[in-house]
Amino acid sequence: MISQYLSLLALPVLAAAQKCSLQFDGRIPSNLTLAAFDSNNNIYNPSNVFGKGLKFSELLQLPAVAGSLFDTKTVPVEVTISDASIFAPSADNVQTGFRRAELLPASNSGTDASTLGVKTLHFSLMQDPQRPLNLTHEYQLVFLESADFSTNQLVLKTGTIIGSTDGVDPNTLQLFGNVNANPPQVLFSTPFTPGVFNNFAVTLDFNNLTSQVFFSTGKSPLKPVTQAISNDVSGQGQFHFGMLKKPIDGGNDIVHNGTQEDGIDEGIIYGGIFEEDSSTGCISLCA
Ligand SMILES: *[C@@H]1O[C@H](CO)[C@@H](O)[C@H](O)[C@H]1NC(C)=O
Ligand SMILES: *[C@@H]1O[C@H](CO)[C@@H](O)[C@H](O)[C@H]1NC(C)=O
Ligand SMILES: *[C@@H]1O[C@H](CO)[C@@H](O)[C@H](O)[C@H]1NC(C)=O
Ligand SMILES: *[C@@H]1O[C@H](CO)[C@@H](O)[C@H](O)[C@H]1NC(C)=O
């Protein structure tokens, strides 16, 4: 992997190819079978998050699309949701308001080093024209949920954000900072360009509590699109890659209440998921 040192002040790229050390690698070897996602595979947690009674091999796909910017030897994976995507973390907490399925990196326990120091999270995502989203709903497509489940310190959303009155086109990727901020801050937003991977990297400084966003589409190298923005990323937790579809008219209890129409067959294709150590300023901008 070729990468480049960037000044943490986001001055133009300085130089030097450098391989950043990895915290976790969520890229999928091309010989991994769907069945391998159902048991320990050292890439993703086989037990969470998906509808009660399902398993990952029933909801993941290995689509025949070219790899993302950072998938030079690895392959994309598609996460899908259906009417059965009702997660029940416990018998008395059946999340009937949501339809959801998300991959969690195997090593990301919630208290591991992926949410300490200075790390850069990478992910790419692409629409599946065969399984379009219903943009009347709000979706979370990537998020960091704190270890005490009290907030998301970082969350990529699309669709119609519940409660928003800003008139943003629902086919937009909006990367929010900590959703407990009042109001939550949009760190970066961009049209959700179809037919290509939309590539993100976010440098998360868990010491100084900042986030800096990098973005590109297709095979173009990432470019910084923000400075390091003040954002409360404390509280550790777990990274989720997949779809959390929120209901319409859920009132004050969107987890359990509100409307989800039947016949859901929706998917998002993910590639190039990994996290690297940026404590020395190392950030990969291309493979
Ligand atoms: C995939 O290929 C790698 C190396 O080419 C090999 O080490 C690994 O065992 C293979 N995995 C499976 C599940 O076949
Ligand atoms: C999209 O969601 C809205 C709100 O739930 C619903 O009225 C509409 O029928 C849905 N569209 C499709 C194609 O399912
Ligand atoms: C973190 O904050 C300290 C104190 O304000 C500052 O000296 C340091 O340069 C900051 N580090 C980064 C990486 O921004
Ligand atoms: C559930 O949603 C309905 C509207 O769809 C709303 O009137 C009601 O207050 C909500 N219940 C809760 C507990 O939020």
Side-chain angles (χ1 to χ4, degrees):
M1 196 189 315
I2 299 167
S3 51
Q4 291 164 292
Y5 276 105
L6 283 190
S7 155
L8 289 166
L9 297 172
L11 295 171
V13 172
L14 295 184
Q18 161 79 29
K19 182 173 179 162
C20 313
S21 63
L22 291 177
Q23 172 63 34
F24 62 71
D25 196 346
R27 288 170 290 190
I28 311 297
S30 58
N31 60 356
L32 199 74
T33 62
L34 285 178
F37 287 89
D38 293 334
S39 55
N40 288 339
N41 54 61
N42 291 325
I43 305 174
Y44 290 107
N45 181 327
S47 310
N48 285 293
V49 172
F50 46 74
K52 184 172 163 53
L54 299 180
K55 47 191 182 181
F56 271 124
S57 58
E58 297 170 327
L59 63 98
L60 298 176
Q61 303 277 338
L62 295 168
V65 297
S68 74
L69 176 61
F70 288 102
D71 281 307
T72 51
K73 295 184 196 129
T74 46
V75 296
V77 61
E78 180 168 1
V79 179
T80 73
I81 54 170
S82 68
D83 299 344
S85 300
I86 300 174
F87 180 52
S90 64
D92 60 357
N93 183 17
V94 182
Q95 299 186 348
T96 50
F98 293 156
R99 299 293 178 272
R100 61 185 293 197
E102 300 126 38
L103 290 163
L104 278 54
S107 62
N108 183 199
S109 64
T111 56
D112 64 296
S114 65
T115 49
L116 296 173
V118 185
K119 300 285 172 7
T120 299
L121 179 71
H122 288 259
F123 53 89
S124 298
L125 65 174
M126 182 160 71
Q127 299 176 25
D128 176 356
Q130 305 303 314
R131 294 189 184 81
L133 308 191
N134 181 341
L135 297 177
T136 307
H137 289 250
E138 175 184 325
Y139 294 81
Q140 297 195 176
L141 300 180
V142 174
F143 54 100
L144 172 60
E145 181 171 36
S146 63
D148 68 1
F149 306 111
S150 67
T151 192
N152 293 172
Q153 304 99 315
L154 185 77
V155 46
L156 183 70
K157 298 186 179 195
T158 195
T160 306
I161 311 301
I162 292 172
S164 77
T165 54
D166 54 16
V168 170
D169 180 342
N171 190 37
T172 300
L173 293 167
Q174 298 196 70
L175 185 64
F176 285 80
N178 195 314
V179 293
N180 279 358
N182 189 18
Q185 164 177 219
V186 178
L187 304 175
F188 173 67
S189 74
T190 185
F192 194 170
T193 304
V196 291
F197 275 106
N198 292 250
N199 312 308
F200 287 82
V202 189
T203 300
L204 300 163
D205 187 328
F206 296 102
N207 300 323
N208 280 18
L209 306 183
T210 61
S211 303
Q212 182 176 15
V213 186
F214 301 78
F215 180 78
S216 72
T217 57
K219 296 280 182 167
S220 301
L222 294 166
K223 288 191 176 138
V225 288
T226 73
Q227 302 287 315
I229 300 171
S230 195
N231 178 36
D232 185 1
V233 290
S234 66
Q236 296 218 271
Q238 289 174 297
F239 294 101
H240 295 237
F241 304 91
M243 299 158 73
L244 189 161
K245 182 182 186 182
K246 297 184 181 177
I248 302 294
D249 292 335
N252 292 322
D253 187 13
I254 59 168
V255 180
H256 307 103
N257 194 20
T259 302
Q260 291 276 4
E261 67 283 358
D262 292 337
I264 296 171
D265 180 16
E266 303 176 4
I268 291 285
I269 302 166
Y270 291 82
I273 294 171
F274 65 99
E275 188 185 60
E276 61 197 0
D277 184 358
S278 297
S279 59
T280 60
C282 187
I283 298 165
S284 301
L285 299 180
C286 58

